[in-house]
Amino acid sequence: MVDLKKPYAQVAETECPRCLTVMTQEAMIEHYQVCRGCGYHFRMPAAARIHLIADEGSFTEMDQDLVSKNPLSLEGYEDKISEAQKKSDLSDAVVTGTAKIDGRECVLGVMSFQFMGGSMGSVVGEKITRAMLHGADTNKPVIIFTASGGARMQEGIFSLMQMAKTANAAALLDDLGIPFFIVLTHPTTGGVTASFAMLGDVAIAEPGALIGFAGPRVIEGTINKKLPAGFQSAEFQQEKGFVDKIVPRKELKKTLSFLLRTHTGA
Amino acid sequence: MDELKNKLEELKDLAGKNNLDINKSLSEIEAMLNVGKNSPTWEKVQLARRLDRPGALEFINLICDEFIELHGDRYFKDDPALIGGIGTIDGQAITFIGNQKGSNLKENLYRNYGMGGPEGYRKALRLAKQAEKFHRPIVTLIDTSGAYPGPEAEARGIGEAIAQNLKHFSLLKVPIICFVIGEGGSGGALGIGVGDKLYMLENSIYSVISPEGFASILLRDSNKAKEAADIMKMTAKDLFEFGIIHGIIPEAPGGVQNDPAYTANMIKELILSNIAVLKKKKPESLIRYRSRKIREIGQFTENAGKEQDLFGLFSRLFS
Ligand SMILES: [Zn+2]
């Protein structure tokens, strides 16, 4: 279960990998885990995301006790999951629930890259699908923050099929006129990109986030040369037409609030 | 097999006694024996990838009385790695869509080894929507190592193109029958793989990643592809046991390339029998059934044990 009382990990100081600015924990929290020197957006734990976006005390988690099976009977997979659970306080790589943003109700899903690279297996696919269906059932807009290396290979064909499952749920939201907003955060690749992440009515991205289907190393392997700097960045994806708007983290809540306001009646 | 092994041991003994240097060829024979014994899955991987394995167009021509190919996504270009068109079986019009590999180097360069780009998936969606407009059933033939992982495909949104197909195919108001005829490689396969029925040929494979990829990422050794293939549960039998596919279509001894017509005929019968049943369903119940099938795929436990009434939810949403 996600612990909102401790949204930030205890780290005394953090050094920016891009400009080497060193920030204290207080400064990191004050600046939304964004580098004060250059605007680099650090990865954010799911709890911190919710803390940042949802009105205080408004988040109610759902489906927190889903745990993946081991369909390939892969040695050590269960251990890997329980290790990730202990490290992250999450049952799997996504937290879902209902929340309010500036007083407006929504269904909120936040993926966690810290949990096995945010990979999507049966549990992630099921929870995201249920979150969307809950939005459909209760007529609430659905907002999902993505962060994923793609499908979870350890679950074989079941992980691939979660792409179809989440896309099917997105189709239902279309059919019923339920707003579906996606916030692409660093990194979003593979099976998540090729399913629900690209199906939002509005696609927002954080500055500098890597967004793509094949990972950069795979593409470089295909063409046998280096990719230009910025390839598959949020800015690149906006230029190519796959991202509506790049929103710095400190303005995210305001932007989501605007979207909820303009998409809910009365 | 045992006989062969005994012979092998005899030969080894002999070689040892007479100090002959045939150990190298002996160990090669031993390795060959072990491939068959230890990795039946790897044999299927190799069969599924054979250059002379019949592809989508070959099957379409064997199945249909007549067929015309339709080209282009109407946005950017035609993608030869993903083909489609209208065919007839016993006078009945059907839209066919398939991944298309080549059967030699020249063809493979033209068809990009069957790795479709965004244009291919957008063409597939165009033809699927066209089929829906004219109440025509759709048949898809899956055979790709995956969607094209190149910079042009990325720049034109290969992820978005596949995502749109997953979304739209799940709500199309006409029957969709899918067949994995060779390699079912990841998102590139699923991009034309959402439908009411899914079948696999006996020696075809379907997986989230190639055995080579699985080996290099999870087994940390790209040379362990055979081992990976056995772990990954990617054969028709595996997927049937998982409840993900509806049936397995037999191939001629040694592989479908030895008698394509034999297998094509069974595909044809399955298309006709399924269409006869699915055509009678109302579009709403067709979609509801398809959605439910997709929704049910997953393996997890839920401590609380509460079951959401999702079927009820679907009924309500589609009333
Ligand atoms: Zn910095």
Side-chain angles (χ1 to χ4, degrees):
Chain A
M1 195 161 154
V2 64
D3 186 357
L4 293 177
K5 289 196 195 82
K6 289 185 290 177
Y8 299 97
Q10 283 296 323
V11 188
E13 284 183 336
T14 309
E15 186 186 73
C16 173
R18 200 160 69 186
C19 75
L20 307 183
T21 296
V22 174
M23 288 167 77
T24 62
Q25 169 136 39
E26 293 75 41
M28 282 286 280
I29 292 173
E30 192 191 321
H31 288 86
Y32 311 94
Q33 319 274 99
V34 173
C35 173
R36 179 172 52 194
C38 71
Y40 175 82
H41 282 53
F42 289 88
R43 278 185 198 140
M44 222 177 183
R49 274 283 173 210
I50 296 165
H51 181 78
L52 176 68
I53 295 298
D55 295 349
E56 212 184 322
S58 73
F59 184 76
T60 310
E61 190 173 358
M62 44 191 226
D63 303 318
Q64 66 265 45
D65 53 0
L66 266 62
V67 178
S68 182
K69 288 187 185 170
N70 185 0
L72 303 188
S73 310
L74 211 60
E75 217 183 292
Y77 182 49
E78 283 102 343
D79 295 343
K80 214 167 170 194
I81 289 182
S82 35
E83 222 173 277
Q85 286 173 334
K86 267 185 220 130
K87 238 192 272 174
S88 65
D89 276 333
L90 307 175
S91 70
D92 211 303
V94 71
V95 179
T96 55
T98 52
K100 283 183 185 169
I101 297 176
D102 289 339
R104 286 193 164 73
E105 291 191 326
C106 66
V107 179
L108 184 61
V110 179
M111 295 187 80
S112 164
F113 194 79
Q114 281 83 356
F115 195 107
M116 293 182 75
S119 54
M120 176 162 69
S122 288
V123 171
V124 170
E126 179 70 17
K127 285 179 76 167
I128 283 175
T129 301
R130 284 190 191 181
M132 287 198 260
L133 293 182
H134 185 70
D137 204 24
T138 56
N139 199 20
K140 284 179 194 145
V142 180
I143 300 171
I144 295 178
F145 284 72
T146 62
S148 175
R152 188 172 298 167
M153 287 163 293
Q154 288 93 335
E155 293 182 28
I157 196 74
F158 288 96
S159 62
L160 184 70
M161 293 299 160
Q162 303 312 307
M163 293 167 62
K165 192 195 266 189
T166 54
N168 172 252
L172 290 175
L173 296 187
D174 262 16
D175 230 39
L176 296 166
I178 306 289
F180 178 39
F181 306 128
I182 287 286
V183 184
L184 302 154
T185 77
H186 181 75
T188 298
T189 59
V192 167
T193 297
S195 61
F196 67 92
M198 283 292 141
L199 297 175
D201 297 307
V202 176
I204 287 168
E206 286 200 327
L210 176 82
I211 303 158
F213 178 57
R217 261 178 305 166
V218 174
I219 303 172
E220 287 176 346
T222 307
I223 55 172
N224 240 322
K225 56 181 173 197
K226 282 225 119 347
L227 288 168
F231 191 80
Q232 297 181 305
S233 66
E235 294 73 15
F236 170 94
Q237 294 294 2
Q238 179 173 273
E239 185 199 320
K240 296 296 176 190
F242 296 101
V243 161
D244 286 293
K245 189 172 169 59
I246 295 169
V247 180
R249 197 171 283 160
K250 77 170 177 359
E251 285 164 32
L252 260 179
K253 183 164 182 173
K254 204 175 84 186
T255 304
L256 289 171
S257 180
F258 173 83
L259 288 173
L260 291 182
R261 200 162 69 233
T262 48
H263 285 79
T264 39
Chain B
M1 201 64 139
D2 282 346
E3 220 171 281
L4 271 172
K5 265 194 201 145
N6 291 339
K7 259 280 180 291
L8 195 68
E9 289 308 313
E10 262 174 48
L11 279 169
K12 268 189 184 165
D13 266 9
L14 265 174
K17 276 176 199 156
N18 299 311
N19 226 353
L20 293 176
D21 188 22
I22 54 168
N23 271 329
K24 192 171 165 273
S25 31
L26 279 179
S27 50
E28 268 169 21
I29 295 171
E30 201 169 20
M32 275 158 71
L33 277 172
N34 284 338
V35 165
K37 186 182 138 227
N38 292 337
S39 184
T41 307
W42 186 249
E43 280 190 345
K44 289 193 193 301
V45 172
Q46 286 175 313
L47 281 172
R49 290 174 176 172
R50 278 179 75 112
L51 273 179
D52 60 355
R53 190 173 175 89
L57 281 171
E58 191 173 342
F59 274 123
I60 289 169
N61 287 321
L62 286 166
I63 291 165
C64 294
D65 312 322
E66 285 176 273
F67 174 73
I68 61 159
E69 191 179 344
L70 303 174
H71 293 271
D73 67 343
R74 297 297 186 269
Y75 297 111
F76 186 70
K77 67 166 197 173
D78 184 49
D79 184 353
L82 218 153
I83 58 93
I86 305 167
T88 57
I89 305 178
D90 299 345
Q92 180 167 208
I94 294 164
T95 287
F96 283 85
I97 294 165
N99 308 108
Q100 184 65 48
K101 294 180 181 177
S103 56
N104 54 47
L105 180 65
K106 194 177 156 219
E107 277 179 27
N108 261 326
L109 290 175
Y110 171 62
R111 304 229 177 247
N112 199 24
Y113 294 85
M115 296 185 287
E119 299 75 50
Y121 291 92
R122 289 180 184 132
K123 170 168 68 178
L125 184 56
R126 177 175 80 85
L127 297 181
K129 291 271 185 189
Q130 182 194 68
E132 184 183 44
K133 175 175 175 181
F134 299 106
H135 312 289
R136 209 157 48 216
I138 299 167
V139 169
T140 74
L141 302 169
I142 296 159
D143 185 21
T144 181
S145 59
Y148 182 57
E152 315 89 335
E154 288 293 324
R156 293 194 296 273
I158 182 68
E160 194 266 353
I162 291 173
Q164 291 294 347
N165 283 14
L166 303 183
K167 179 171 102 171
H168 288 287
F169 274 69
S170 80
L171 294 193
L172 283 173
K173 295 186 185 74
V174 290
I176 309 167
I177 306 157
C178 309
F179 297 90
V180 183
I181 56 171
E183 265 187 291
S186 195
L190 189 64
I192 59 167
V194 171
D196 303 298
K197 296 279 177 175
L198 175 59
Y199 294 91
M200 284 175 75
L201 301 202
E202 188 184 339
N203 294 311
S204 69
I205 51 173
Y206 197 1
S207 61
V208 65
I209 189 171
S210 69
E212 289 83 357
F214 190 96
S216 83
I217 297 170
L218 288 184
L219 307 180
R220 297 206 167 77
D221 182 354
S222 56
N223 295 317
K224 287 189 178 163
K226 284 179 204 174
E227 215 178 309
D230 280 333
I231 297 171
M232 290 168 68
K233 299 193 180 162
M234 61 197 298
T235 67
K237 189 167 164 281
D238 294 326
L239 269 73
F240 187 74
E241 280 164 10
F242 281 146
I244 287 174
I245 65 169
H246 295 89
I248 302 170
I249 303 167
E251 298 182 21
V256 64
Q257 74 284 350
N258 291 332
D259 190 354
Y262 167 74
T263 300
N265 202 42
M266 275 181 286
I267 295 176
K268 179 176 163 177
E269 292 306 318
L270 277 170
I271 291 172
L272 290 174
S273 60
N274 274 303
I275 287 177
V277 173
L278 295 172
K279 241 171 57 178
K280 287 191 202 123
K281 292 186 188 256
K282 283 193 195 125
E284 312 86 73
S285 70
L286 192 66
I287 291 166
R288 196 189 309 158
Y289 172 84
R290 190 186 303 148
S291 292
R292 192 173 83 160
K293 182 85 183 60
I294 296 167
R295 279 231 7 93
E296 278 172 351
I297 302 177
Q299 294 218 339
F300 55 86
T301 57
E302 189 166 13
N303 295 335
K306 64 176 158 76
E307 267 296 312
Q308 254 182 299
D309 176 22
L310 290 166
F311 194 54
L313 179 58
F314 274 114
S315 309
R316 222 157 52 246
L317 297 181
F318 278 108
S319 58

